[in-house]
mmCIF file of all heavy atoms in Angstrom:
data_model
loop_
_atom_site.group_PDB
_atom_site.id
_atom_site.type_symbol
_atom_site.label_atom_id
_atom_site.label_comp_id
_atom_site.label_asym_id
_atom_site.label_seq_id
_atom_site.Cartn_x
_atom_site.Cartn_y
_atom_site.Cartn_z
ATOM 1 N N THR D 2 0.414 2.290 -0.666
ATOM 2 C CA THR D 2 1.163 3.543 -0.688
ATOM 3 C C THR D 2 1.067 4.241 0.665
ATOM 4 O O THR D 2 -0.004 4.274 1.267
ATOM 5 C CB THR D 2 0.577 4.496 -1.740
ATOM 6 O OG1 THR D 2 0.403 3.763 -2.941
ATOM 7 C CG2 THR D 2 1.472 5.691 -1.987
ATOM 8 N N ILE D 4 1.458 7.965 2.409
ATOM 9 C CA ILE D 4 1.645 9.405 2.212
ATOM 10 C C ILE D 4 2.395 9.897 3.444
ATOM 11 O O ILE D 4 1.840 9.928 4.544
ATOM 12 C CB ILE D 4 0.288 10.114 2.056
ATOM 13 C CG1 ILE D 4 -0.488 9.543 0.851
ATOM 14 C CG2 ILE D 4 0.485 11.617 1.910
ATOM 15 C CD1 ILE D 4 -1.875 10.143 0.655
ATOM 16 N N ARG D 6 4.489 12.553 5.871
ATOM 17 C CA ARG D 6 4.482 13.981 6.141
ATOM 18 C C ARG D 6 5.811 14.570 5.665
ATOM 19 O O ARG D 6 6.806 13.851 5.563
ATOM 20 C CB ARG D 6 4.211 14.314 7.617
ATOM 21 C CG ARG D 6 5.224 13.847 8.635
ATOM 22 C CD ARG D 6 4.893 14.441 10.008
ATOM 23 N NE ARG D 6 5.264 15.854 10.043
ATOM 24 C CZ ARG D 6 6.312 16.336 10.704
ATOM 25 N NH1 ARG D 6 7.089 15.538 11.395
ATOM 26 N NH2 ARG D 6 6.585 17.625 10.670
ATOM 27 N N GLU D 13 12.955 23.419 14.583
ATOM 28 C CA GLU D 13 11.850 24.293 14.216
ATOM 29 C C GLU D 13 10.519 23.731 14.706
ATOM 30 O O GLU D 13 9.647 24.460 15.160
ATOM 31 C CB GLU D 13 11.830 24.445 12.691
ATOM 32 C CG GLU D 13 11.316 25.789 12.281
ATOM 33 C CD GLU D 13 11.119 25.894 10.788
ATOM 34 O OE1 GLU D 13 11.681 25.060 10.047
ATOM 35 O OE2 GLU D 13 10.386 26.786 10.387
ATOM 36 N N ASP D 30 10.106 50.065 16.671
ATOM 37 C CA ASP D 30 9.566 51.258 15.996
ATOM 38 C C ASP D 30 8.574 51.992 16.895
ATOM 39 O O ASP D 30 7.505 52.418 16.463
ATOM 40 C CB ASP D 30 8.915 50.869 14.666
ATOM 41 C CG ASP D 30 9.850 50.031 13.803
ATOM 42 O OD1 ASP D 30 10.790 50.604 13.239
ATOM 43 O OD2 ASP D 30 9.665 48.792 13.735
ATOM 44 N N GLU D 104 -5.063 44.665 13.324
ATOM 45 C CA GLU D 104 -4.025 44.133 12.451
ATOM 46 C C GLU D 104 -2.754 44.967 12.527
ATOM 47 O O GLU D 104 -2.514 45.857 11.716
ATOM 48 C CB GLU D 104 -4.611 43.966 11.038
ATOM 49 C CG GLU D 104 -5.567 42.780 11.047
ATOM 50 C CD GLU D 104 -6.715 42.797 10.054
ATOM 51 O OE1 GLU D 104 -6.901 43.792 9.342
ATOM 52 O OE2 GLU D 104 -7.428 41.776 9.995
ATOM 53 N N PRO D 105 -1.943 44.712 13.567
ATOM 54 C CA PRO D 105 -0.694 45.451 13.768
ATOM 55 C C PRO D 105 0.484 44.699 13.143
ATOM 56 O O PRO D 105 0.280 43.781 12.339
ATOM 57 C CB PRO D 105 -0.575 45.476 15.291
ATOM 58 C CG PRO D 105 -1.194 44.186 15.739
ATOM 59 C CD PRO D 105 -2.162 43.744 14.653
ATOM 60 N N THR D 106 1.706 45.072 13.505
ATOM 61 C CA THR D 106 2.868 44.325 13.012
ATOM 62 C C THR D 106 2.923 42.970 13.720
ATOM 63 O O THR D 106 2.316 42.793 14.780
ATOM 64 C CB THR D 106 4.179 45.064 13.328
ATOM 65 O OG1 THR D 106 4.364 45.052 14.753
ATOM 66 C CG2 THR D 106 4.170 46.497 12.820
ATOM 67 N N MET D 108 5.210 41.659 15.572
ATOM 68 C CA MET D 108 5.726 41.752 16.938
ATOM 69 C C MET D 108 4.638 42.196 17.914
ATOM 70 O O MET D 108 4.715 41.928 19.103
ATOM 71 C CB MET D 108 6.889 42.749 17.007
ATOM 72 C CG MET D 108 8.123 42.295 16.246
ATOM 73 S SD MET D 108 9.100 41.080 17.154
ATOM 74 C CE MET D 108 10.041 42.167 18.219
ATOM 75 N N ASP D 110 1.393 41.423 17.504
ATOM 76 C CA ASP D 110 0.227 40.592 17.229
ATOM 77 C C ASP D 110 0.012 39.527 18.305
ATOM 78 O O ASP D 110 -1.040 38.887 18.347
ATOM 79 C CB ASP D 110 0.394 39.943 15.841
ATOM 80 C CG ASP D 110 -0.899 39.406 15.285
ATOM 81 O OD1 ASP D 110 -1.951 40.033 15.510
ATOM 82 O OD2 ASP D 110 -0.870 38.343 14.621
ATOM 83 N N HIS D 114 4.389 31.692 17.764
ATOM 84 C CA HIS D 114 5.165 31.055 16.697
ATOM 85 C C HIS D 114 5.522 32.017 15.562
ATOM 86 O O HIS D 114 6.415 31.722 14.769
ATOM 87 C CB HIS D 114 4.483 29.770 16.194
ATOM 88 C CG HIS D 114 3.504 29.952 15.082
ATOM 89 N ND1 HIS D 114 2.148 30.042 15.293
ATOM 90 C CD2 HIS D 114 3.672 30.058 13.742
ATOM 91 C CE1 HIS D 114 1.533 30.197 14.146
ATOM 92 N NE2 HIS D 114 2.430 30.214 13.180
ATOM 93 N N THR D 115 4.846 33.171 15.475
ATOM 94 C CA THR D 115 5.251 34.146 14.466
ATOM 95 C C THR D 115 6.049 35.306 15.067
ATOM 96 O O THR D 115 6.549 36.150 14.323
ATOM 97 C CB THR D 115 4.036 34.723 13.707
ATOM 98 O OG1 THR D 115 3.072 35.161 14.661
ATOM 99 C CG2 THR D 115 3.410 33.691 12.799
ATOM 100 N N CYS D 128 -2.490 51.096 16.215
ATOM 101 C CA CYS D 128 -3.279 52.300 15.977
ATOM 102 C C CYS D 128 -4.503 51.867 15.164
ATOM 103 O O CYS D 128 -4.401 51.616 13.971
ATOM 104 C CB CYS D 128 -2.426 53.291 15.178
ATOM 105 S SG CYS D 128 -3.305 54.719 14.567
ATOM 106 N N HIS D 130 -7.515 51.654 12.909
ATOM 107 C CA HIS D 130 -7.950 52.554 11.836
ATOM 108 C C HIS D 130 -9.463 52.522 11.660
ATOM 109 O O HIS D 130 -10.013 53.341 10.937
ATOM 110 C CB HIS D 130 -7.272 52.175 10.512
ATOM 111 C CG HIS D 130 -7.960 51.066 9.778
ATOM 112 N ND1 HIS D 130 -8.029 49.787 10.271
ATOM 113 C CD2 HIS D 130 -8.650 51.059 8.605
ATOM 114 C CE1 HIS D 130 -8.718 49.037 9.415
ATOM 115 N NE2 HIS D 130 -9.106 49.775 8.410
ATOM 116 N N THR D 143 -3.273 28.559 23.212
ATOM 117 C CA THR D 143 -4.568 29.252 23.141
ATOM 118 C C THR D 143 -5.748 28.344 23.424
ATOM 119 O O THR D 143 -6.739 28.765 24.022
ATOM 120 C CB THR D 143 -4.756 29.885 21.755
ATOM 121 O OG1 THR D 143 -3.507 30.434 21.341
ATOM 122 C CG2 THR D 143 -5.789 30.979 21.781
ATOM 123 N N GLY D 216 -0.124 19.850 27.744
ATOM 124 C CA GLY D 216 -0.249 19.317 26.393
ATOM 125 C C GLY D 216 0.693 19.905 25.374
ATOM 126 O O GLY D 216 0.693 19.485 24.222
ATOM 127 N N ASP D 221 -0.744 13.691 25.653
ATOM 128 C CA ASP D 221 -2.187 13.715 25.454
ATOM 129 C C ASP D 221 -2.847 14.093 26.766
ATOM 130 O O ASP D 221 -2.882 13.305 27.704
ATOM 131 C CB ASP D 221 -2.645 12.328 24.988
ATOM 132 C CG ASP D 221 -4.153 12.258 24.765
ATOM 133 O OD1 ASP D 221 -4.851 13.248 25.055
ATOM 134 O OD2 ASP D 221 -4.623 11.212 24.286
ATOM 135 N N LEU D 224 -7.183 17.483 25.287
ATOM 136 C CA LEU D 224 -7.689 18.738 24.720
ATOM 137 C C LEU D 224 -8.505 18.504 23.441
ATOM 138 O O LEU D 224 -8.982 19.451 22.828
ATOM 139 C CB LEU D 224 -6.538 19.721 24.474
ATOM 140 C CG LEU D 224 -5.841 20.225 25.751
ATOM 141 C CD1 LEU D 224 -4.648 21.104 25.413
ATOM 142 C CD2 LEU D 224 -6.816 20.991 26.650
ATOM 143 N N ASP D 225 -8.643 17.258 23.037
ATOM 144 C CA ASP D 225 -9.566 16.935 21.945
ATOM 145 C C ASP D 225 -10.968 16.634 22.482
ATOM 146 O O ASP D 225 -11.892 16.432 21.712
ATOM 147 C CB ASP D 225 -9.047 15.745 21.140
ATOM 148 C CG ASP D 225 -8.786 14.530 22.026
ATOM 149 O OD1 ASP D 225 -8.570 14.706 23.250
ATOM 150 O OD2 ASP D 225 -8.793 13.404 21.503
ATOM 151 N N ARG D 269 -21.053 25.912 18.399
ATOM 152 C CA ARG D 269 -21.773 26.707 17.407
ATOM 153 C C ARG D 269 -22.801 27.517 18.180
ATOM 154 O O ARG D 269 -23.562 26.959 18.970
ATOM 155 C CB ARG D 269 -22.467 25.787 16.397
ATOM 156 C CG ARG D 269 -21.485 24.956 15.592
ATOM 157 C CD ARG D 269 -22.180 24.102 14.548
ATOM 158 N NE ARG D 269 -22.753 24.917 13.475
ATOM 159 C CZ ARG D 269 -23.171 24.412 12.305
ATOM 160 N NH1 ARG D 269 -23.093 23.111 12.076
ATOM 161 N NH2 ARG D 269 -23.672 25.206 11.388
ATOM 162 N N ASP D 284 -17.217 41.833 12.615
ATOM 163 C CA ASP D 284 -15.769 41.732 12.865
ATOM 164 C C ASP D 284 -15.039 43.073 12.734
ATOM 165 O O ASP D 284 -13.966 43.171 12.130
ATOM 166 C CB ASP D 284 -15.131 40.716 11.901
ATOM 167 C CG ASP D 284 -15.566 39.286 12.189
ATOM 168 O OD1 ASP D 284 -16.203 39.057 13.234
ATOM 169 O OD2 ASP D 284 -15.250 38.393 11.379
ATOM 170 N N LYS D 294 -13.606 53.464 -0.167
ATOM 171 C CA LYS D 294 -13.121 52.981 1.115
ATOM 172 C C LYS D 294 -13.090 51.462 1.188
ATOM 173 O O LYS D 294 -12.784 50.877 2.221
ATOM 174 C CB LYS D 294 -13.993 53.535 2.248
ATOM 175 C CG LYS D 294 -13.724 55.000 2.520
ATOM 176 C CD LYS D 294 -12.364 55.161 3.198
ATOM 177 C CE LYS D 294 -12.070 56.638 3.419
ATOM 178 N NZ LYS D 294 -10.715 56.830 3.964
ATOM 179 N N LYS D 299 -24.191 46.439 2.373
ATOM 180 C CA LYS D 299 -25.206 47.270 3.029
ATOM 181 C C LYS D 299 -25.580 46.650 4.371
ATOM 182 O O LYS D 299 -25.443 45.445 4.555
ATOM 183 C CB LYS D 299 -26.474 47.319 2.171
ATOM 184 C CG LYS D 299 -26.323 48.006 0.837
ATOM 185 C CD LYS D 299 -27.652 48.056 0.088
ATOM 186 C CE LYS D 299 -28.212 46.680 -0.277
ATOM 187 N NZ LYS D 299 -27.354 45.902 -1.183
ATOM 188 N N GLN D 315 -16.109 35.340 16.264
ATOM 189 C CA GLN D 315 -16.717 36.369 15.406
ATOM 190 C C GLN D 315 -17.421 37.400 16.271
ATOM 191 O O GLN D 315 -17.789 37.109 17.417
ATOM 192 C CB GLN D 315 -17.781 35.735 14.497
ATOM 193 C CG GLN D 315 -17.437 35.752 13.041
ATOM 194 C CD GLN D 315 -18.519 35.130 12.176
ATOM 195 O OE1 GLN D 315 -19.545 34.658 12.645
ATOM 196 N NE2 GLN D 315 -18.271 35.127 10.884
ATOM 197 N N ARG D 316 -17.603 38.594 15.712
ATOM 198 C CA ARG D 316 -18.397 39.634 16.380
ATOM 199 C C ARG D 316 -19.420 40.181 15.394
ATOM 200 O O ARG D 316 -19.138 40.306 14.198
ATOM 201 C CB ARG D 316 -17.515 40.814 16.859
ATOM 202 C CG ARG D 316 -16.582 40.484 18.008
ATOM 203 C CD ARG D 316 -15.266 39.920 17.559
ATOM 204 N NE ARG D 316 -14.531 40.839 16.711
ATOM 205 C CZ ARG D 316 -13.760 40.474 15.698
ATOM 206 N NH1 ARG D 316 -13.605 39.218 15.377
ATOM 207 N NH2 ARG D 316 -13.125 41.387 14.975
ATOM 208 N N TRP D 338 -19.939 21.427 18.315
ATOM 209 C CA TRP D 338 -19.238 21.863 17.091
ATOM 210 C C TRP D 338 -19.129 20.764 16.047
ATOM 211 O O TRP D 338 -18.817 21.045 14.897
ATOM 212 C CB TRP D 338 -17.879 22.458 17.437
ATOM 213 C CG TRP D 338 -16.748 21.503 17.712
ATOM 214 C CD1 TRP D 338 -16.693 20.540 18.670
ATOM 215 C CD2 TRP D 338 -15.494 21.449 17.020
ATOM 216 N NE1 TRP D 338 -15.475 19.900 18.629
ATOM 217 C CE2 TRP D 338 -14.724 20.440 17.628
ATOM 218 C CE3 TRP D 338 -14.943 22.177 15.956
ATOM 219 C CZ2 TRP D 338 -13.426 20.114 17.192
ATOM 220 C CZ3 TRP D 338 -13.653 21.857 15.537
ATOM 221 C CH2 TRP D 338 -12.913 20.830 16.150
ATOM 222 N N ASP G 53 -1.837 4.570 3.452
ATOM 223 C CA ASP G 53 -1.513 4.855 4.844
ATOM 224 C C ASP G 53 -1.066 6.301 4.898
ATOM 225 O O ASP G 53 -0.324 6.755 4.029
ATOM 226 C CB ASP G 53 -0.371 3.959 5.342
ATOM 227 C CG ASP G 53 -0.870 2.574 5.720
ATOM 228 O OD1 ASP G 53 -2.033 2.464 6.137
ATOM 229 O OD2 ASP G 53 -0.087 1.609 5.587
ATOM 230 N N GLU G 55 0.788 9.280 7.126
ATOM 231 C CA GLU G 55 1.583 9.631 8.299
ATOM 232 C C GLU G 55 1.130 10.994 8.811
ATOM 233 O O GLU G 55 1.109 11.965 8.060
ATOM 234 C CB GLU G 55 3.073 9.664 7.937
ATOM 235 C CG GLU G 55 3.946 9.885 9.167
ATOM 236 C CD GLU G 55 5.410 10.160 8.817
ATOM 237 O OE1 GLU G 55 5.700 10.569 7.667
ATOM 238 O OE2 GLU G 55 6.250 9.972 9.698
ATOM 239 N N ARG G 205 -8.494 52.152 -1.027
ATOM 240 C CA ARG G 205 -7.973 51.188 -0.063
ATOM 241 C C ARG G 205 -7.051 50.143 -0.657
ATOM 242 O O ARG G 205 -6.358 49.456 0.072
ATOM 243 C CB ARG G 205 -9.162 50.475 0.593
ATOM 244 C CG ARG G 205 -9.126 50.555 2.082
ATOM 245 C CD ARG G 205 -10.307 49.815 2.680
ATOM 246 N NE ARG G 205 -9.908 48.521 3.205
ATOM 247 C CZ ARG G 205 -10.769 47.628 3.662
ATOM 248 N NH1 ARG G 205 -12.055 47.857 3.635
ATOM 249 N NH2 ARG G 205 -10.327 46.481 4.133
ATOM 250 N N ARG G 250 -9.085 13.560 16.206
ATOM 251 C CA ARG G 250 -7.890 13.855 17.025
ATOM 252 C C ARG G 250 -6.864 14.650 16.226
ATOM 253 O O ARG G 250 -5.853 15.081 16.776
ATOM 254 C CB ARG G 250 -7.248 12.546 17.476
ATOM 255 C CG ARG G 250 -8.222 11.642 18.253
ATOM 256 C CD ARG G 250 -7.883 11.557 19.704
ATOM 257 N NE ARG G 250 -6.616 10.918 19.969
ATOM 258 C CZ ARG G 250 -5.937 11.073 21.102
ATOM 259 N NH1 ARG G 250 -6.404 11.900 22.033
ATOM 260 N NH2 ARG G 250 -4.787 10.442 21.294
ATOM 261 N N ASP G 261 3.758 21.759 9.376
ATOM 262 C CA ASP G 261 3.803 21.285 7.987
ATOM 263 C C ASP G 261 2.963 22.169 7.066
ATOM 264 O O ASP G 261 3.392 22.482 5.944
ATOM 265 C CB ASP G 261 3.313 19.834 7.904
ATOM 266 C CG ASP G 261 4.255 18.872 8.614
ATOM 267 O OD1 ASP G 261 5.389 19.293 8.952
ATOM 268 O OD2 ASP G 261 3.868 17.713 8.832
ATOM 269 N N HIS G 264 4.599 25.493 6.407
ATOM 270 C CA HIS G 264 5.732 25.392 5.485
ATOM 271 C C HIS G 264 5.331 25.100 4.050
ATOM 272 O O HIS G 264 6.157 25.160 3.155
ATOM 273 C CB HIS G 264 6.663 24.263 5.935
ATOM 274 C CG HIS G 264 7.697 24.727 6.897
ATOM 275 N ND1 HIS G 264 8.770 23.973 7.260
ATOM 276 C CD2 HIS G 264 7.824 25.886 7.563
ATOM 277 C CE1 HIS G 264 9.507 24.630 8.116
ATOM 278 N NE2 HIS G 264 8.956 25.794 8.330
ATOM 279 N N THR G 289 -17.564 21.948 12.530
ATOM 280 C CA THR G 289 -17.723 23.311 12.016
ATOM 281 C C THR G 289 -16.493 24.132 12.397
ATOM 282 O O THR G 289 -16.183 24.271 13.579
ATOM 283 C CB THR G 289 -19.005 23.945 12.579
ATOM 284 O OG1 THR G 289 -20.108 23.249 12.007
ATOM 285 C CG2 THR G 289 -19.095 25.420 12.226
ATOM 286 N N SER G 291 -14.058 27.665 12.334
ATOM 287 C CA SER G 291 -14.146 29.122 12.382
ATOM 288 C C SER G 291 -12.788 29.701 12.026
ATOM 289 O O SER G 291 -12.071 30.202 12.893
ATOM 290 C CB SER G 291 -14.555 29.575 13.794
ATOM 291 O OG SER G 291 -15.817 29.072 14.141
ATOM 292 N N HIS G 295 -5.141 36.621 10.786
ATOM 293 C CA HIS G 295 -4.487 37.800 11.345
ATOM 294 C C HIS G 295 -3.925 38.630 10.191
ATOM 295 O O HIS G 295 -3.651 38.108 9.116
ATOM 296 C CB HIS G 295 -3.322 37.386 12.261
ATOM 297 C CG HIS G 295 -3.706 36.597 13.474
ATOM 298 N ND1 HIS G 295 -3.019 36.691 14.663
ATOM 299 C CD2 HIS G 295 -4.687 35.684 13.700
ATOM 300 C CE1 HIS G 295 -3.552 35.879 15.563
ATOM 301 N NE2 HIS G 295 -4.566 35.244 15.011
ATOM 302 N N ASN G 297 -4.859 40.806 7.947
ATOM 303 C CA ASN G 297 -5.831 41.386 7.015
ATOM 304 C C ASN G 297 -7.180 40.718 7.277
ATOM 305 O O ASN G 297 -7.207 39.561 7.701
ATOM 306 C CB ASN G 297 -5.485 41.056 5.545
ATOM 307 C CG ASN G 297 -4.601 42.082 4.832
ATOM 308 O OD1 ASN G 297 -4.410 42.004 3.619
ATOM 309 N ND2 ASN G 297 -4.048 43.039 5.553
ATOM 310 N N HIS G 298 -8.264 41.426 7.050
ATOM 311 C CA HIS G 298 -9.576 40.784 6.958
ATOM 312 C C HIS G 298 -9.728 40.205 5.546
ATOM 313 O O HIS G 298 -8.969 40.562 4.640
ATOM 314 C CB HIS G 298 -10.691 41.810 7.181
ATOM 315 C CG HIS G 298 -10.943 42.163 8.625
ATOM 316 N ND1 HIS G 298 -9.951 42.500 9.511
ATOM 317 C CD2 HIS G 298 -12.112 42.238 9.327
ATOM 318 C CE1 HIS G 298 -10.495 42.775 10.699
ATOM 319 N NE2 HIS G 298 -11.796 42.625 10.616
ATOM 320 N N ASP G 316 -23.779 41.216 -0.949
ATOM 321 C CA ASP G 316 -23.133 42.054 0.055
ATOM 322 C C ASP G 316 -21.880 41.334 0.518
ATOM 323 O O ASP G 316 -21.947 40.201 0.982
ATOM 324 C CB ASP G 316 -24.071 42.283 1.252
ATOM 325 C CG ASP G 316 -25.131 43.317 0.928
ATOM 326 O OD1 ASP G 316 -24.756 44.428 0.510
ATOM 327 O OD2 ASP G 316 -26.321 43.003 1.067
ATOM 328 N N HIS G 320 -14.695 39.887 6.958
ATOM 329 C CA HIS G 320 -14.571 39.142 8.217
ATOM 330 C C HIS G 320 -13.108 38.885 8.569
ATOM 331 O O HIS G 320 -12.269 38.745 7.676
ATOM 332 C CB HIS G 320 -15.238 37.769 8.064
ATOM 333 C CG HIS G 320 -16.724 37.780 8.234
ATOM 334 N ND1 HIS G 320 -17.336 38.051 9.429
ATOM 335 C CD2 HIS G 320 -17.730 37.514 7.361
ATOM 336 C CE1 HIS G 320 -18.659 37.958 9.282
ATOM 337 N NE2 HIS G 320 -18.922 37.655 8.034
ATOM 338 N N ASP G 321 -12.849 38.743 9.895
ATOM 339 C CA ASP G 321 -11.590 38.099 10.263
ATOM 340 C C ASP G 321 -11.829 36.666 10.721
ATOM 341 O O ASP G 321 -10.885 35.898 10.882
ATOM 342 C CB ASP G 321 -10.806 38.926 11.302
ATOM 343 C CG ASP G 321 -11.569 39.213 12.568
ATOM 344 O OD1 ASP G 321 -11.942 38.267 13.262
ATOM 345 O OD2 ASP G 321 -11.792 40.407 12.869
ATOM 346 N N VAL G 322 -13.102 36.297 10.934
ATOM 347 C CA VAL G 322 -13.482 34.900 11.166
ATOM 348 C C VAL G 322 -14.634 34.595 10.224
ATOM 349 O O VAL G 322 -15.589 35.370 10.159
ATOM 350 C CB VAL G 322 -13.986 34.670 12.609
ATOM 351 C CG1 VAL G 322 -14.373 33.201 12.802
ATOM 352 C CG2 VAL G 322 -12.958 35.088 13.641
ATOM 353 N N ASP G 342 -3.628 48.452 10.891
ATOM 354 C CA ASP G 342 -3.558 49.056 12.219
ATOM 355 C C ASP G 342 -2.127 49.285 12.705
ATOM 356 O O ASP G 342 -1.877 49.470 13.900
ATOM 357 C CB ASP G 342 -4.360 48.209 13.213
ATOM 358 C CG ASP G 342 -5.827 48.094 12.784
ATOM 359 O OD1 ASP G 342 -6.399 49.121 12.383
ATOM 360 O OD2 ASP G 342 -6.375 46.978 12.820
ATOM 361 N N SER G 351 12.345 50.168 11.028
ATOM 362 C CA SER G 351 13.746 49.847 11.294
ATOM 363 C C SER G 351 13.914 48.645 12.205
ATOM 364 O O SER G 351 14.889 47.919 12.090
ATOM 365 C CB SER G 351 14.468 51.069 11.857
ATOM 366 O OG SER G 351 13.749 51.588 12.942
ATOM 367 N N GLN G 352 12.954 48.394 13.095
ATOM 368 C CA GLN G 352 13.178 47.327 14.067
ATOM 369 C C GLN G 352 12.262 46.123 13.897
ATOM 370 O O GLN G 352 12.526 45.067 14.441
ATOM 371 C CB GLN G 352 13.017 47.896 15.489
ATOM 372 C CG GLN G 352 14.135 48.859 15.835
ATOM 373 C CD GLN G 352 13.708 49.890 16.864
ATOM 374 O OE1 GLN G 352 12.526 50.156 17.059
ATOM 375 N NE2 GLN G 352 14.680 50.487 17.525
ATOM 376 N N GLU G 353 11.181 46.258 13.189
ATOM 377 C CA GLU G 353 10.209 45.175 13.067
ATOM 378 C C GLU G 353 10.823 43.980 12.335
ATOM 379 O O GLU G 353 11.758 44.107 11.558
ATOM 380 C CB GLU G 353 8.967 45.682 12.319
ATOM 381 C CG GLU G 353 7.829 44.691 12.172
ATOM 382 C CD GLU G 353 7.263 44.164 13.489
ATOM 383 O OE1 GLU G 353 7.120 44.949 14.440
ATOM 384 O OE2 GLU G 353 6.966 42.963 13.558
ATOM 385 N N LYS G 354 10.235 42.839 12.597
ATOM 386 C CA LYS G 354 10.702 41.579 12.020
ATOM 387 C C LYS G 354 10.073 41.388 10.632
ATOM 388 O O LYS G 354 8.866 41.565 10.470
ATOM 389 C CB LYS G 354 10.212 40.477 12.965
ATOM 390 C CG LYS G 354 10.912 39.172 12.902
ATOM 391 C CD LYS G 354 10.324 38.256 13.985
ATOM 392 C CE LYS G 354 10.201 36.849 13.455
ATOM 393 N NZ LYS G 354 9.460 35.961 14.329
ATOM 394 N N TYR G 359 1.969 36.248 9.526
ATOM 395 C CA TYR G 359 0.753 36.129 10.347
ATOM 396 C C TYR G 359 0.181 34.723 10.228
ATOM 397 O O TYR G 359 0.302 34.088 9.188
ATOM 398 C CB TYR G 359 -0.309 37.129 9.873
ATOM 399 C CG TYR G 359 0.128 38.560 9.994
ATOM 400 C CD1 TYR G 359 0.668 39.240 8.895
ATOM 401 C CD2 TYR G 359 0.033 39.245 11.209
ATOM 402 C CE1 TYR G 359 1.083 40.551 9.000
ATOM 403 C CE2 TYR G 359 0.451 40.561 11.320
ATOM 404 C CZ TYR G 359 0.973 41.210 10.221
ATOM 405 O OH TYR G 359 1.391 42.509 10.338
ATOM 406 N N GLY G 373 -4.760 15.189 21.288
ATOM 407 C CA GLY G 373 -5.097 15.620 22.646
ATOM 408 C C GLY G 373 -4.197 16.672 23.248
ATOM 409 O O GLY G 373 -4.323 17.018 24.413
ATOM 410 N N SER G 375 -0.337 19.208 22.056
ATOM 411 C CA SER G 375 0.569 19.667 20.996
ATOM 412 C C SER G 375 0.106 20.929 20.281
ATOM 413 O O SER G 375 0.296 21.069 19.068
ATOM 414 C CB SER G 375 0.817 18.565 19.954
ATOM 415 O OG SER G 375 1.435 17.472 20.548
ATOM 416 N N TYR G 376 -0.496 21.875 21.012
ATOM 417 C CA TYR G 376 -0.825 23.158 20.423
ATOM 418 C C TYR G 376 0.436 23.744 19.784
ATOM 419 O O TYR G 376 1.493 23.711 20.398
ATOM 420 C CB TYR G 376 -1.366 24.102 21.504
ATOM 421 C CG TYR G 376 -1.622 25.500 20.997
ATOM 422 C CD1 TYR G 376 -2.855 25.829 20.452
ATOM 423 C CD2 TYR G 376 -0.628 26.468 21.038
ATOM 424 C CE1 TYR G 376 -3.081 27.101 19.962
ATOM 425 C CE2 TYR G 376 -0.855 27.738 20.545
ATOM 426 C CZ TYR G 376 -2.080 28.051 20.011
ATOM 427 O OH TYR G 376 -2.299 29.307 19.511
ATOM 428 N N ASP G 383 0.381 29.772 7.920
ATOM 429 C CA ASP G 383 0.837 31.148 7.975
ATOM 430 C C ASP G 383 0.550 31.819 6.640
ATOM 431 O O ASP G 383 0.236 31.159 5.655
ATOM 432 C CB ASP G 383 2.353 31.222 8.232
ATOM 433 C CG ASP G 383 2.708 30.901 9.687
ATOM 434 O OD1 ASP G 383 1.795 30.819 10.525
ATOM 435 O OD2 ASP G 383 3.910 30.731 9.961
#
Side-chain angles (χ1 to χ4, degrees):
Chain D
T2 312
I4 301 177
R6 64 172 285 253
E13 211 187 343
D30 308 285
E104 287 152 355
T106 67
M108 293 281 278
D110 197 36
H114 89 263
T115 50
C128 171
H130 83 294
T143 320
D221 179 355
L224 294 176
D225 55 336
R269 297 183 69 166
D284 291 350
K294 286 288 178 185
K299 294 183 297 298
Q315 247 181 359
R316 291 87 60 215
W338 80 301
Chain G
D53 280 330
E55 186 190 21
R205 234 181 103 187
R250 303 250 295 160
D261 294 347
H264 271 192
T289 292
S291 298
H295 297 212
N297 269 189
H298 281 49
D316 283 306
H320 279 293
D321 57 61
V322 180
D342 301 316
S351 52
Q352 291 153 339
E353 183 59 40
K354 201 176 141 189
Y359 298 96
S375 298
Y376 175 89
D383 285 349

